[in-house]
């Protein structure tokens, strides 16, 4: 079975050190460009898992980073969680205002487009498609968990109980597994009939 993807920016990070500002993988507190580069892709993918298109996600994530300027990013205790919460709110605000993106996607520092960083492999597209078929509560908790947040952290950041989060995660993983198995079986049947 296909494994759930882990974003490049979150792979191997320990959530406690990452969010507390301690350890070698902590979020940068003295370089906004480094924070942007480290978290932009992760926040964008987080929103895609929750139902946004890549362009909607990149736009909402970029707006979340703007909310940290000029110096607010230095004082927020949990910038990774803050960015995800603000980006989600931004996405909800924009989702019903336009049917398709018309504004260009803003460049990252160094002139690279964040959409280029979020191009998904075929396997990742199947996973995103499957995740987007889950309930909103299941998508939410799985998106946070894929970013390596602990249930207690997610509860603090979302205002939901750990029990509700764990239940939604369990149901979401079971449904996701079924969806991916069905997709894999369909792909295998389609490949076999073409030979």
């Amino acid at each position: 079975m296909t494994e759930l993807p882990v974003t490049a920016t979150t792979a191997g990070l320990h959530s406690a050190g990452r969010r507390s500002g301690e350890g070698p993988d902590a979020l940068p507190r003295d370089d906004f460009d480094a924070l942007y580069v480290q978290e932009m892709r992760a926040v964008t993918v987080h929103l895609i898992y929750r139902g946004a298109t890549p362009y909607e996600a990149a736009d909402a994530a970029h707006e979340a980073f703007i909310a940290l300027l000029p110096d607010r990013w230095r004082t927020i205790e949990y910038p990774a969680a803050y960015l995800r919460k603000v980006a989600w709110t931004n996405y909800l605000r924009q989702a019903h205002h336009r049917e398709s993106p018309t504004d260009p996607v803003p460049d990252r520092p160094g002139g690279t487009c964040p959409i280029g960083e979020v191009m998904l492999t075929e396997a990742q597209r199947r996973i995103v498609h499957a995740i987007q078929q889950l309930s909103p509560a299941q998508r939410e908790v799985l998106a946070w968990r894929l970013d390596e947040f602990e249930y207690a952290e997610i509860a603090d950041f979302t205002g939901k109980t750990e029990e509700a989060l764990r239940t939604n995660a369990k149901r979401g993983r079971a449904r996701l597994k079924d969806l991916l198995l069905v997709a894999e079986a369909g792909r295998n049947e389609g490949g076999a009939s073409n030979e």
Side-chain angles (χ1 to χ4, degrees):
M1 182 173 123
T2 308
E3 288 188 30
L4 292 177
V6 177
T7 60
T9 56
T10 59
L13 298 182
H14 301 288
S15 65
R18 183 165 177 253
R19 282 169 246 327
S20 67
E22 302 169 358
D25 295 319
L27 293 174
R29 290 302 194 151
D30 58 346
D31 185 354
F32 185 80
D33 288 353
L35 173 70
Y36 187 93
V37 168
Q38 183 172 335
E39 284 296 308
M40 180 61 179
R41 182 181 189 279
V43 173
T44 303
V45 171
H46 179 89
L47 294 178
I48 291 170
Y49 283 143
R50 294 183 70 183
T53 68
Y55 284 96
E56 291 169 336
D59 190 36
H62 184 74
E63 289 177 26
F65 276 94
I66 289 172
L68 291 177
L69 295 173
D71 289 320
R72 190 169 187 199
W73 63 280
R74 294 178 192 269
T75 60
I76 290 181
E77 187 175 2
Y78 301 106
Y82 173 87
L83 287 166
R84 284 157 180 80
K85 287 177 64 172
V86 171
W88 178 247
T89 301
N90 292 340
Y91 164 69
L92 292 176
R93 285 186 187 138
Q94 70 169 304
H96 59 277
H97 290 298
R98 64 180 190 206
E99 292 180 17
S100 61
T102 56
D103 299 335
V105 177
D107 284 346
R108 298 185 324 162
T112 59
C113 174
I115 293 299
E117 296 291 316
V118 201
M119 293 304 166
L120 303 174
T121 66
E122 181 60 33
Q124 288 172 320
R125 279 194 292 275
R126 284 193 305 274
I127 292 166
V128 166
H129 178 71
I131 287 175
Q132 290 178 348
Q133 293 179 57
L134 302 177
S135 74
Q138 292 167 352
R139 286 195 313 260
E140 177 184 34
V141 69
L142 290 178
W144 283 96
R145 291 292 294 150
L146 284 167
D147 284 344
E148 299 184 356
F149 285 86
E150 300 296 327
Y151 288 107
E153 293 173 312
I154 301 167
D156 286 344
F157 302 142
T158 64
K160 298 183 175 152
T161 67
E162 282 189 60
E163 182 180 346
L165 292 168
R166 287 179 191 280
T167 299
N168 281 315
K170 181 179 178 181
R171 289 178 181 164
R173 281 192 302 268
R175 174 92 170 110
L176 185 58
K177 182 179 177 184
D178 291 343
L179 290 167
L180 291 173
L181 287 172
V182 168
E184 187 67 27
R187 210 168 65 87
N188 290 338
E189 282 181 19
S193 64
N194 291 336
E195 293 178 6

